[in-house]
Amino acid sequence: MTVAGETPTPKMGRRFWYSLYGDAVRQIAERYTSIAEDQGSSDPGIVLDNYLSETERRKHRREAMHDELANLLGE
């Protein structure tokens, strides 16, 4: 198997994973944009960091990553 004509390396796998993870985190932030605006903030990260527990943030990240991977794998 090759990726862009090269043998895949662990670094390529990590880069792919973190790119996908970053997309998932951005999707989560977008969900909270309107709530942040209602609270007078232009940054949805404020809502995520200050008003959701770590357990709740982790749950949202897992769900978003599940969706990303399911779309990628066609499930």
Side-chain angles (χ1 to χ4, degrees):
M1 178 206 291
T2 62
V3 174
E6 298 180 34
T7 301
T9 63
K11 183 178 180 179
M12 291 172 133
R14 287 188 301 272
R15 183 178 295 150
F16 170 77
W17 178 261
Y18 284 109
S19 292
L20 200 63
Y21 185 80
D23 290 343
V25 170
R26 279 188 287 281
Q27 288 176 13
I28 295 166
E30 288 173 4
R31 293 180 199 164
Y32 286 91
T33 299
S34 61
I35 295 169
E37 289 170 353
D38 289 346
Q39 298 295 322
S41 176
S42 61
D43 182 5
I46 299 296
V47 174
L48 294 170
D49 293 339
N50 295 327
Y51 300 108
L52 295 179
S53 68
E54 178 57 34
T55 301
E56 193 67 19
R57 288 190 302 267
R58 188 176 301 122
K59 176 185 162 210
H60 287 293
R61 288 192 305 264
R62 276 195 312 267
E63 290 171 354
M65 281 300 288
H66 175 270
D67 294 344
E68 286 285 327
L69 290 169
N71 287 335
L72 178 70
L73 300 173
E75 294 179 15

